[in-house]
Amino acid sequence: MTTYANVILVLFCISSVILETKAGSNVQQLRFHDPPSPSPPARYSPTHYPPDSTSVNNLTFALYGSGTHGIYNSSETPSNSSRMYNYCNMPHVRSSSYPVPSSSFILEHVTLIHRHHKRTPYSSNTFFREDISWSCEDARIIHYATSDSESRKTWGEVPVIWRVDNEGAGNPMRPSVAVGFKGSDCLFPQITAEGLQDSYQHGLDIASVYRDQLQFLPSKFDPNQVVFRVTNNGNQHFANSTSQVLGALIAGLYPELEKSGYTAFIQPSSFDSLEPTYHCSRADALKAEIEMTEGWIHHLKEAAPLFKRLDSISGIDSNDNANWHTSSDHYFDNLSSKQCHGKPLPCNVNDTSQCISQADADMVYRLGNYEYSYRYRHGAPQISTAFANLRYGAWVAELLLELERTMRGESHLKYRHHVAHDGSIAPLLGILQARELAWPGLGSELVFEVWREELAKQHFVRVLWSGQPLETSTPLGTLDMIHIGKFIDFFKQQLPSDLRNACNEDGQVSQGVGMGPSILLATVQNLLPSLWVPVKADDKKAAAPAPAVSK
């Protein structure tokens, strides 16, 4: 068979599939007779338990409702509404509202994970020209290295404080027009003074419960019992924000460490489970599939008038290629970061009488909550659950191992503290299958407690979300004193048995809807090696090398 004949055969196979798909026939019945079609790989398909129908996942409310799902302009929450969603400073464990179990339960282990606190917006989420200034003179970012070895006595260290120089006098590459916040000395993003204050209070509140009220944590810091972890510095902005928060939080939890410093663990960026940064091509494919569903495309179409109004004030091109219109993410971060810091909503730099209204900002916030629920819980049910498990399964695997070691008496570590991101908390809530999932606000916190019941001599798990037992849609119900074996077994069954292999599988999840495009591609790719004529040795010099692919 000649090379041209091979090409024709492959093109025929592809065109046949396309024609059958357009004709509405069942593509799953497609058969290749020469050579045989490969069997599709086994699909990882965790059980999905649908969330409650609430205002968060109600598109009609997101598009045409009024107000917001909670608070977006202050870190203060009314004292009579301690569980209220506050995007600027989410509820967390504190002594005034902590649910203390009966005296027959003894606390043995706590794993706590939370999102960082208030920060400036990402540079990718700022407008080309902002109408307000933003100063960070009251939040210094310090970078330097030190040593605890004996040789340290031969030198000293001075803290190096970063300050952004936006002037760049004499630098010919400096933009001729100010970009973003004119004259700002901030990093975008960085934790602000207000975020550091919230972090410090967070540390005080954790201490008020686990150190003072329960007398569980040691009164003085003990690295054999207490461990801190932040996200990896492979992405420096992420690493900075989580480390900045931890520095202020520890000052509230263990103030004696202010002088001596502390050790925070990170994992290599190649497999960091906390942020996460480990490679999972199937998770990426599922996320793309979710955002290609009819429901996702429909909500963007309905939100188009909102984007048009926002663009007319922000100056964002309606045909931009930076994804300002593929979700509410960019506008959400820009507006919420400003309002959480008490700054006004933006106005057009050329016509200051034209400003983004509070009603439109509220709509952005409602859409943001809807989109997070769509991705991780309700939008494409089976796909969303698989996406969450693949995206954050490595961290959950670490958690389950720690719970098992505690149950067997093999671990004497009392407390693990993780500072993470909304992209960490959201998939974790998706794995736990929370009854309601909104955008995890600043400081969002999940706590996994292991208790031993003295009479039965058995261990139980309690999971706190916003300081109270988490309500899930799973058969486990509210995660309040669930037998540890039952808890571990349930989530082990939900996670893929081999996460590494599952991450490298084809991106489709079996929905009973026929062969998807990626299966077609895999089929053709499997056909090619057996059909294509190898390049002869004499012809290799004429074969162009394959282009490198950036990942």
Side-chain angles (χ1 to χ4, degrees):
M1 186 179 291
T2 67
T3 300
Y4 295 105
N6 292 330
V7 173
I8 292 171
L9 176 57
V10 172
L11 292 176
F12 174 77
C13 292
I14 295 174
S15 61
S16 297
V17 174
I18 293 173
L19 288 172
E20 289 208 25
T21 302
K22 287 183 177 180
S25 60
N26 186 356
V27 184
Q28 212 164 16
Q29 301 302 315
L30 178 68
R31 294 290 182 269
F32 290 92
H33 298 291
D34 182 21
S37 173
S39 299
R43 296 283 177 259
Y44 161 62
S45 186
T47 303
H48 172 78
Y49 300 94
D52 290 358
S53 295
T54 70
S55 61
V56 168
N57 54 29
N58 185 305
L59 182 58
T60 300
F61 175 73
L63 292 168
Y64 308 112
S66 62
T68 59
H69 176 70
I71 299 170
Y72 290 83
N73 60 4
S74 171
S75 285
E76 300 299 321
T77 302
S79 57
N80 61 347
S81 305
S82 60
R83 294 196 66 181
M84 178 182 290
Y85 177 96
N86 184 339
Y87 178 82
C88 303
N89 188 20
M90 288 288 284
H92 52 255
V93 293
R94 47 170 55 94
S95 58
S96 60
S97 57
Y98 181 78
V100 181
S102 71
S103 58
S104 64
F105 286 93
I106 306 298
L107 185 59
E108 289 197 345
H109 177 81
V110 171
T111 288
L112 186 150
I113 179 172
H114 66 90
R115 187 187 176 193
H116 58 74
H117 283 278
K118 287 205 292 265
R119 55 160 174 76
T120 58
Y122 275 85
S123 59
S124 58
N125 297 336
T126 60
F127 307 149
F128 184 70
R129 291 177 62 194
E130 293 281 357
D131 67 315
I132 62 171
S133 60
W134 199 318
S135 174
C136 293
E137 288 184 340
D138 52 358
R140 303 185 303 168
I141 308 302
I142 298 176
H143 293 261
Y144 74 110
T146 186
S147 172
D148 291 329
S149 68
E150 287 298 318
S151 62
R152 180 171 182 253
K153 295 177 181 178
T154 65
W155 76 81
E157 301 96 11
V158 175
V160 176
I161 302 169
W162 279 15
R163 182 169 181 174
V164 177
D165 173 19
N166 277 302
E167 297 303 318
N171 185 342
M173 303 305 292
R174 177 186 179 275
S176 58
V177 179
V179 177
F181 296 89
K182 184 178 180 180
S184 175
D185 57 358
C186 300
L187 293 172
F188 294 94
Q190 74 164 74
I191 302 301
T192 60
E194 294 89 341
L196 293 174
Q197 176 59 49
D198 290 345
S199 304
Y200 176 71
Q201 185 61 51
H202 200 159
L204 290 175
D205 290 337
I206 292 171
S208 73
V209 171
Y210 294 111
R211 189 190 63 200
D212 303 334
Q213 184 175 7
L214 299 179
Q215 297 185 345
F216 170 68
L217 291 178
S219 58
K220 298 295 182 181
F221 176 70
D222 181 352
N224 295 315
Q225 298 186 60
V226 178
V227 169
F228 300 106
R229 181 177 165 195
V230 294
T231 50
N232 183 276
N233 61 359
N235 184 323
Q236 193 165 348
H237 288 322
F238 275 3
N240 284 341
S241 62
T242 54
S243 296
Q244 291 156 21
V245 163
L246 185 57
L249 185 144
I250 289 179
L253 180 56
Y254 284 113
E256 70 271 17
L257 294 180
E258 286 190 59
K259 295 182 178 180
S260 61
Y262 63 95
T263 296
F265 289 91
I266 62 170
Q267 286 183 350
S269 58
S270 59
F271 62 86
D272 179 25
S273 64
L274 182 57
E275 188 173 326
T277 57
Y278 62 86
H279 179 67
C280 188
S281 58
R282 190 174 179 206
D284 296 338
L286 293 182
K287 182 175 183 288
E289 190 172 341
I290 290 168
E291 295 180 0
M292 290 177 63
T293 56
E294 182 179 349
W296 186 272
I297 294 171
H298 172 71
H299 104 278
L300 291 178
K301 181 180 179 181
E302 293 297 308
L306 169 68
F307 284 125
K308 185 176 181 179
R309 293 194 298 272
L310 298 173
D311 293 346
S312 68
I313 293 170
S314 67
I316 300 298
D317 192 319
S318 59
N319 296 315
D320 85 292
N321 59 3
N323 298 319
W324 278 79
H325 308 110
T326 57
S327 75
S328 67
D329 188 271
H330 290 281
Y331 277 114
F332 190 110
D333 186 36
N334 185 291
L335 303 182
S336 64
S337 295
K338 291 170 181 172
Q339 291 210 281
C340 282
H341 287 87
K343 298 183 182 299
L345 289 170
C347 299
N348 187 297
V349 293
N350 298 315
D351 182 358
T352 55
S353 67
Q354 299 296 315
C355 304
I356 291 178
S357 68
Q358 187 61 58
D360 279 350
D362 289 347
M363 185 175 175
V364 169
Y365 303 149
R366 294 195 304 269
L367 282 171
N369 286 323
Y370 175 84
E371 289 169 356
Y372 262 71
S373 177
Y374 195 102
R375 284 194 189 101
Y376 295 102
R377 288 295 282 126
H378 82 272
Q382 197 69 30
I383 302 175
S384 297
T385 302
F387 168 55
N389 277 271
L390 291 170
R391 182 69 282 160
Y392 218 64
W395 190 89
V396 174
E398 293 174 347
L399 169 69
L400 296 180
L401 177 61
E402 186 62 38
L403 298 184
E404 286 182 328
R405 296 183 66 216
T406 300
M407 176 179 64
R408 296 194 298 260
E410 297 173 359
S411 174
H412 300 289
L413 187 65
K414 284 191 168 185
Y415 183 80
R416 285 186 179 272
H417 189 113
H418 306 75
V419 188
H421 305 275
D422 49 3
S424 316
I425 303 298
L428 182 52
L429 287 170
I431 292 172
L432 296 170
Q433 303 205 48
R435 289 177 61 181
E436 180 180 86
L437 194 158
W439 192 315
L442 297 159
S444 295
E445 175 193 84
L446 278 160
V447 186
F448 298 83
E449 300 175 334
V450 178
W451 294 83
R452 185 184 77 252
E453 208 285 320
E454 283 291 86
L455 298 177
K457 303 297 182 183
Q458 294 182 339
H459 290 83
F460 297 84
V461 175
R462 182 169 70 167
V463 181
L464 303 180
W465 166 246
S466 295
Q468 301 298 317
L470 174 67
E471 298 177 356
T472 78
S473 305
T474 72
L476 298 180
T478 300
L479 301 182
D480 190 4
M481 297 307 181
I482 306 298
H483 188 276
I484 192 168
K486 185 177 181 181
F487 182 91
I488 292 173
D489 288 346
F490 179 82
F491 288 103
K492 275 190 173 181
Q493 291 170 8
Q494 288 289 98
L495 291 175
S497 57
D498 187 333
L499 181 61
R500 184 186 298 274
N501 284 338
C503 275
N504 292 324
E505 287 178 3
D506 181 87
Q508 296 284 324
V509 171
S510 179
Q511 297 281 310
V513 294
M515 183 182 292
S518 62
I519 300 178
L520 167 62
L521 179 60
T523 302
V524 174
Q525 286 174 335
N526 277 280
L527 275 171
L528 285 173
S530 61
L531 296 175
W532 206 261
V533 176
V535 178
K536 296 179 181 179
D538 293 342
D539 296 335
K540 285 183 179 178
K541 60 178 180 289
V549 178
S550 300
K551 294 184 179 180

